[in-house]
Amino acid sequence: MFSEKDIQHIHNKGITVDHVNAQFVRLKNGMSYSKLLAAATIGRGIERFSEAESQELIQLFDGKKNNLEIVKFVPASGAATRMFKFLFQFLKNFNPNKSTLKQFIERHNDNLLEIFFEDLEAFPFYNEVINYIRGLNLDYDKLSIGEKSLAFVRAMVDDDALNYGFFPKGLLPFHKYEDEPVSAFREHLLESTIYASSNNKANLHFTVSEKHHDFFKKEFGKISNELQKETDVAFNVSYSYQKEETETLALNTDNSIYRKEDGSILFRPAGHGALLENLNELDYDLLFIKNIDNIAVAEKNSSISEYKKLLAGVLLNIQEKIFAYLNKLDKNDCDTEDFKIMALFLIHRLNVSISQDFDAFSSEGKATYLKEKFNRPLRVCGMVKNEGQPGGGPFWVKDDHGNVSLQIVEFAQINFSDKEQQAIVYKATHFNPTDLVCGVRNYKGEKFNLKKYVDPDAAFITMKTQNGTDIKALELPGLWNGSMAYWNSVFVEVPLETFNPVKTVNDLLNPAHQVK
């Protein structure tokens, strides 16, 4: 199947022919769907804490954080192109000589455009765009409404203008304080000082694309001194790229390998699951994970950050018990009652199903079994009430070996043609807003190798278009989906106000992104 040139290409990417063959087989055979047993709900997989309980857990974290090494991990590599998709379509289709802006919006029933132009001055980049237009010596004020609208959007997204679609979301103007626009990158730095710092130091790691790396470093150089003075926190910022060896091949619809015009194999970025490699290189006590576009204005961050502390407090509380159990198991001084207590903790606190034969195991067998179950990476995931937002959901899932576990499952992993599976999805009450805190060191202080806890069968197969050709593309198991399938998982309800993503540019008009 592969020529000598192909094999050299594969090796140059840092992968093996066997690895690529496995990708080919998976694409050809089709994806394995998750087998949902039930939606996780409050009291059945999702924990809810009272105000008093929450405060106790927050205080636990606050009391311990200066003895912990903490990092905030922020996936930030995607370009912002999709934020402006409807504006690119507007540029392509609107002609101010043929219709007015109002007529165009009505004819296309374009609600996004209507909202965009109605609240134009509320966008954080408004002044920057207007100043750019005026710098062109364009008599902007004399233009018709349609011509002004066209000029404004061109200034925003044209390659030879501000070119917002080229930049990652993290470097775009996201919020505005008085007349000063600030980037999402800056807001993440500021937010980290509230919950993801210890001893007046904040560690942040951003996954970026290589072409944007220097832009991030330049932005950091511009804002870091001012932020350090404002917060009395020193920032240690590091970056990494999605690794080339995580890219995957694609197939044509006839299951032949898709090749570029020069005959070489096309390898594509394999989704956010590829970032497990980046996460695996970070060695800290606690890792907070949050997407670059999920960031509110500063005045709302204090209350939102309390819930990050809550998740961390839950993790520390559970981790303390796990470590105590593992140390006790190491000493070989557990009696029948100890084994029973540990087994109940696994079932009721860590949502782990126990072997039906557990009670019949010898003491040595029970100790070995419990150690294997306890000694894993731990994650505590925030879950918000499902109000129609996109995102993976929390479900009870059974694997091919009959093991039942709590998982975050994306819609792409669900067989919606199966009515029983579909019915389970419709009963889901919560979804995952990518809000996690992770413990990746074991009870001896050693870092887990996170690649050992991945379910490779949880890979995605999606239909894409490449140069006008339909292709089957392979995405690695999602970072907080199959890539964390064999972690110990605890799900905690947090309010919807903690989830403020920016999927389209109009989301910047939402209250969470507007300074009152």
Side-chain angles (χ1 to χ4, degrees):
M1 184 162 57
F2 301 119
S3 67
E4 287 299 320
K5 192 175 179 181
D6 289 337
I7 293 169
Q8 188 61 50
H9 181 199
I10 290 166
H11 288 164
N12 288 344
K13 292 186 74 65
I15 50 182
T16 65
V17 173
D18 285 346
H19 190 71
V20 178
N21 270 323
Q23 292 177 13
F24 175 81
V25 170
R26 185 167 297 282
L27 279 165
K28 186 178 178 183
N29 292 346
M31 68 182 285
S32 302
Y33 290 108
S34 296
K35 187 176 181 182
L36 309 183
L37 294 182
T41 53
I42 298 296
R44 195 183 176 199
I46 301 177
E47 300 185 8
R48 176 187 282 162
F49 294 99
S50 68
E51 180 62 29
E53 291 169 329
S54 297
Q55 286 306 313
E56 191 176 329
L57 289 161
I58 289 167
Q59 287 168 19
L60 171 69
F61 171 67
D62 280 337
K64 291 193 171 187
K65 72 173 186 174
N66 282 338
N67 295 318
L68 299 171
E69 293 180 306
I70 302 172
V71 68
K72 184 180 180 186
F73 180 84
V74 185
S77 54
T81 313
R82 277 183 285 184
M83 269 179 70
F84 306 110
K85 183 178 178 182
F86 72 94
L87 294 179
F88 282 113
Q89 291 172 337
F90 169 72
L91 286 185
K92 183 180 177 181
N93 298 319
F94 179 63
N95 184 338
N97 297 319
K98 292 185 176 180
S99 67
T100 65
L101 179 65
K102 185 180 179 182
Q103 288 168 340
F104 180 84
I105 289 172
E106 287 175 352
R107 187 166 70 249
H108 289 84
N109 194 25
D110 198 326
N111 187 49
L112 289 174
L113 267 185
E114 185 176 14
I115 292 169
F116 179 81
F117 287 117
E118 270 184 4
D119 292 310
L120 205 56
E121 294 185 25
F123 284 106
F125 48 76
Y126 176 78
N127 288 338
E128 182 177 42
V129 176
I130 289 295
N131 290 337
Y132 177 86
I133 293 170
R134 297 200 189 284
L136 298 175
N137 296 318
L138 188 68
D139 205 342
Y140 182 73
D141 295 328
K142 291 185 178 179
L143 298 177
S144 69
I145 291 174
E147 289 168 334
K148 282 181 178 177
S149 303
L150 203 57
F152 191 93
V153 175
R154 277 181 178 152
M156 282 176 62
V157 301
D158 271 2
D159 293 350
D160 57 356
L162 294 171
N163 200 13
Y164 284 166
F166 162 79
F167 289 98
K169 289 181 182 180
L171 295 179
L172 293 178
F174 246 53
H175 302 145
K176 184 167 66 176
Y177 300 98
E178 295 176 354
D179 282 331
E180 185 66 30
V182 300
S183 65
F185 176 68
R186 182 191 185 280
E187 296 288 55
H188 273 278
L189 294 178
L190 184 62
E191 189 196 58
S192 71
T193 66
I194 305 174
Y195 65 85
S197 62
S198 59
N199 297 306
N200 300 101
K201 181 180 179 182
N203 302 302
L204 297 99
H205 185 87
F206 293 86
T207 61
V208 301
S209 68
E210 191 169 357
K211 66 182 178 182
H212 295 140
H213 189 182
D214 286 341
F215 293 103
F216 274 100
K217 290 199 294 186
K218 184 178 177 182
E219 174 77 352
F220 181 68
K222 192 168 73 175
I223 63 179
S224 56
N225 287 339
E226 169 217 336
L227 267 180
Q228 186 166 335
K229 287 177 187 174
E230 182 184 327
T231 62
D232 196 30
V233 172
F235 297 94
N236 172 39
V237 175
S238 57
Y239 309 91
S240 62
Y241 311 142
Q242 190 164 310
K243 298 185 184 303
E244 199 175 342
E245 62 263 31
T246 64
E247 293 180 351
T248 55
L249 53 70
L251 300 187
N252 294 298
T253 50
D254 65 356
N255 287 330
S256 61
I257 292 174
Y258 181 89
R259 295 175 180 271
K260 295 188 280 190
E261 288 183 1
D262 63 3
S264 63
I265 298 170
L266 172 74
F267 285 95
R268 306 176 71 260
H272 56 67
L275 299 181
L276 183 73
E277 294 277 351
N278 308 65
L279 192 72
N280 198 38
E281 292 179 352
L282 301 178
D283 188 3
Y284 292 84
D285 293 308
L286 286 185
L287 292 108
F288 288 92
I289 301 179
K290 191 177 184 186
N291 279 337
I292 189 70
D293 65 331
N294 183 16
I295 189 75
V297 293
E299 67 190 38
K300 299 184 187 301
N301 265 340
S302 293
S303 61
I304 289 172
S305 294
E306 289 296 290
Y307 295 101
K308 303 294 179 291
K309 293 181 179 184
L310 169 63
L311 298 181
V314 172
L315 186 140
L316 292 176
N317 177 261
I318 291 172
Q319 195 178 61
E320 192 174 281
K321 289 184 173 64
I322 290 173
F323 288 0
Y325 289 150
L326 285 165
N327 282 311
K328 190 172 180 66
L329 288 165
D330 273 354
K331 293 174 185 173
N332 295 318
D333 65 350
C334 297
D335 57 24
T336 303
E337 189 64 23
D338 290 325
F339 289 135
K340 183 179 179 181
I341 289 169
M342 291 181 194
L344 288 172
F345 185 84
L346 271 173
I347 295 166
H348 297 295
R349 201 72 174 90
L350 294 182
N351 307 294
V352 174
S353 58
I354 294 288
S355 170
Q356 292 179 343
D357 301 324
F358 179 78
D359 288 338
F361 292 172
S362 66
S363 291
E364 186 180 337
K366 285 178 179 177
T368 301
Y369 183 87
L370 289 168
K371 273 187 185 181
E372 196 279 327
K373 293 292 187 183
F374 279 130
N375 196 28
R376 299 183 180 199
L378 173 64
R379 61 175 177 163
V380 177
C381 311
M383 295 290 162
V384 301
K385 284 184 179 176
N386 195 339
E387 296 187 4
Q389 295 281 357
F395 293 93
W396 291 97
V397 175
K398 180 185 276 190
D399 68 16
D400 291 339
H401 305 290
N403 299 310
V404 177
S405 61
L406 266 184
Q407 301 291 340
I408 297 170
V409 183
E410 298 288 343
F411 280 179
Q413 295 173 269
I414 300 169
N415 182 6
F416 276 91
S417 64
D418 183 321
K419 290 185 178 179
E420 287 184 14
Q421 296 289 284
Q422 193 181 106
I424 292 170
V425 174
Y426 292 148
K427 289 176 183 173
T429 57
H430 290 71
F431 78 96
N432 164 54
T434 313
D435 188 1
L436 300 83
V437 58
C438 306
V440 295
R441 287 176 175 168
N442 68 16
Y443 67 114
K444 296 178 180 178
E446 303 159 336
K447 196 189 81 64
F448 289 105
N449 177 4
L450 303 182
K451 292 190 280 187
K452 289 183 177 179
Y453 303 91
V454 177
D455 178 7
D457 289 335
F460 300 91
I461 297 175
T462 56
M463 294 304 298
K464 302 283 185 182
T465 302
Q466 186 76 25
N467 295 331
T469 301
D470 290 334
I471 59 171
K472 290 193 284 188
L474 181 67
E475 292 190 12
L476 295 173
L479 183 58
W480 37 87
N481 312 115
S483 283
M484 296 181 176
Y486 300 122
W487 292 39
N488 283 325
S489 300
V490 176
F491 297 163
V492 175
E493 184 182 61
V494 293
L496 190 58
E497 70 191 66
T498 62
F499 185 53
N500 302 292
V502 177
K503 300 305 179 189
T504 80
V505 65
N506 286 357
D507 289 330
L508 292 174
L509 300 172
N510 293 338
H513 300 288
Q514 293 283 315
V515 178
K516 291 180 181 177

